[in-house]
Amino acid sequence: MALSILLLLLGLFLVVEPLSVAAQTANISLGSSLTASQDSSAWQSPSGTFAFGFRRIADQDLFLLAIWYDKIPDKSIVWYANGDNPAPKGSKLELTTDGQLTLTGPRSQEIWKPESVLSGRVAYAVMLDTGNFVLANNNADYLWQSFKDLKDTVLPTQVLEIGEKLNSRQTANSYSQGRFQLQLKSDGRLVLYPIALPTEFAYQPYYQSNTSDAVDEMNSGYQLSFNESGYLNVVRRNGNIDKLINKMSMSCTFLISLSQLFDYARL
Ligand SMILES: *[C@@H]1O[C@H](CO)[C@@H](O)[C@H](O)[C@H]1NC(C)=O
Ligand SMILES: *[C@@H]1O[C@H](CO)[C@@H](O)[C@H](O)[C@H]1NC(C)=O
Ligand SMILES: *[C@@H]1O[C@H](CO)[C@@H](O)[C@H](O)[C@H]1NC(C)=O
């Protein structure tokens, strides 16, 4: 089975959309906040392609802090912060005056905060047109970015390094970790396999790329890149590139209607 179809069936997915070339940014300044409610506002990317904010989880009075495609009717969620710990109505996301990003509940209890923030002083946040939400310092260095907090989706321009992995979500409306993982292994293979929870014991893979070379390490993969043209590539240490999915098969897959596939294929 083609990798693209497998990914869709397993609820791990890739999204391609022509990227706009807008270079301007809309900085979110320290002291800004969002409140979880049915009609809460969101922080949009400059072209309005992506938005960052609260999304109500279907049939519940709970909210997900998320990034979604804002320009398509079903507003597909491409990243979420608090999948295991949905936020009650009235929760607050704040970019504090001292540069912390915090999500707290109505009784001020901590619900989520970003992990692995690099040291330095956060000066502002930005929802970029690539779909990456970043915390940056005054030199525009990223101290934290959603692209490095992988969930179940990769977007064009996103790169996975060795050891990084995507996890499927549990069901269409449950955003805790599901039973499928896609990982770039240390030997350079991209592997898709089911796991046991909560141990993450890996079962027999459904798919593995032929991008490991035990004899010549330089000929092994070290990055998975989903590029602007919609190709999913494994890049080898010697610079060679293996195309795993090309634009043609992606577009065909997308004509089959992503959302319908999700509805019956998520596990
Ligand atoms: C965003 O903030 C950075 C750093 O302070 C600054 O260089 C940049 O000009 C700001 N962009 C906008 C559109 O305000
Ligand atoms: C994997 O790649 C190697 C080197 O390119 C090739 O010799 C081998 O036949 C490939 N194996 C499979 C199963 O495609
Ligand atoms: C994306 O990858 C494909 C296949 O490797 C390559 O032909 C194409 O030039 C790449 N596009 C960009 C924008 O890098």
Side-chain angles (χ1 to χ4, degrees), residues 222-247:
Y222 83 108
Q223 268 186 347
L224 175 73
S225 132
F226 187 27
N227 78 13
E228 290 92 326
S229 331
Y231 287 82
L232 190 69
N233 294 325
V234 170
V235 184
R236 297 184 191 245
R237 292 184 196 276
N238 58 18
N240 288 346
I241 285 173
D242 292 59
K243 288 181 239 181
L244 300 188
I245 300 181
N246 64 36
K247 201 172 180 165

Side-chain angles (χ1 to χ4, degrees), residues 112-148:
W112 175 84
K113 64 170 191 240
E115 283 171 23
S116 317
V117 182
L118 300 179
S119 66
R121 195 167 176 84
V122 171
Y124 62 100
V126 193
M127 179 70 253
L128 298 170
D129 277 330
T130 52
N132 195 9
F133 182 79
V134 309
L135 301 178
N137 66 14
N138 267 324
N139 299 324
D141 303 320
Y142 299 167
L143 301 184
W144 181 84
Q145 47 182 318
S146 60
F147 270 14
K148 286 289 159 204

Side-chain angles (χ1 to χ4, degrees), residues 15 21 40 68-69 83 134 150 170 179-180 262:
V15 180
V21 280
S40 68
W68 63 90
Y69 263 124
V134 309
L150 294 160
Q170 217 166 52
R179 297 199 303 112
F180 299 97
F262 293 151

Side-chain angles (χ1 to χ4, degrees), residues 4 17 24 35 48 54 57 71 94 102 132 147 158 169 185-186 220 246 250:
S4 54
E17 171 164 299
Q24 88 249 48
T35 303
F54 288 103
I57 299 175
K71 281 196 166 165
E94 195 174 6
T102 61
N132 195 9
F147 270 14
Q158 201 165 355
R169 63 177 91 150
K185 294 290 184 184
S186 56
S220 290
N246 64 36
M250 292 285 294

Side-chain angles (χ1 to χ4, degrees), residues 49-235:
T49 305
F50 288 96
F52 176 95
F54 288 103
R55 287 285 296 271
R56 185 170 166 264
I57 299 175
D59 309 324
Q60 296 178 49
D61 222 6
L62 292 171
F63 294 80
L64 200 61
L65 179 62
I67 296 170
W68 63 90
Y69 263 124
D70 211 27
K71 281 196 166 165
I72 54 174
D74 77 343
K75 302 201 184 293
S76 308
I77 290 176
V78 299
W79 180 86
Y80 37 94
N82 56 323
D84 289 326
N85 192 11
K89 192 174 168 179
S91 297
K92 190 175 176 191
L93 177 84
E94 195 174 6
L95 181 62
T96 62
T97 50
D98 64 348
Q100 314 285 320
L101 187 68
T102 61
L103 172 56
T104 51
R107 284 171 283 105
S108 298
Q109 74 276 26
E110 179 181 294
I111 294 179
W112 175 84
K113 64 170 191 240
E115 283 171 23
S116 317
V117 182
L118 300 179
S119 66
R121 195 167 176 84
V122 171
Y124 62 100
V126 193
M127 179 70 253
L128 298 170
D129 277 330
T130 52
N132 195 9
F133 182 79
V134 309
L135 301 178
N137 66 14
N138 267 324
N139 299 324
D141 303 320
Y142 299 167
L143 301 184
W144 181 84
Q145 47 182 318
S146 60
F147 270 14
K148 286 289 159 204
D149 183 8
L150 294 160
K151 300 298 171 173
D152 67 350
T153 304
V154 282
L155 292 168
T157 75
Q158 201 165 355
V159 171
L160 266 71
E161 311 285 345
I162 295 269
E164 290 188 324
K165 58 201 174 194
L166 301 181
N167 283 291
S168 63
R169 63 177 91 150
Q170 217 166 52
T171 62
N173 292 317
S174 164
Y175 292 81
S176 47
Q177 187 181 6
R179 297 199 303 112
F180 299 97
Q181 224 165 57
L182 180 75
Q183 185 174 19
L184 188 61
K185 294 290 184 184
S186 56
D187 65 5
R189 281 172 307 144
L190 180 71
V191 184
L192 176 64
Y193 48 89
I195 56 169
L197 286 173
T199 59
E200 295 200 21
F201 174 83
Y203 295 109
Q204 197 64 24
Y206 291 119
Y207 167 85
Q208 46 189 320
S209 65
N210 186 17
T211 49
S212 170
D213 189 332
V215 179
D216 177 9
E217 206 196 317
M218 287 304 286
N219 193 37
S220 290
Y222 83 108
Q223 268 186 347
L224 175 73
S225 132
F226 187 27
N227 78 13
E228 290 92 326
S229 331
Y231 287 82
L232 190 69
N233 294 325
V234 170
V235 184

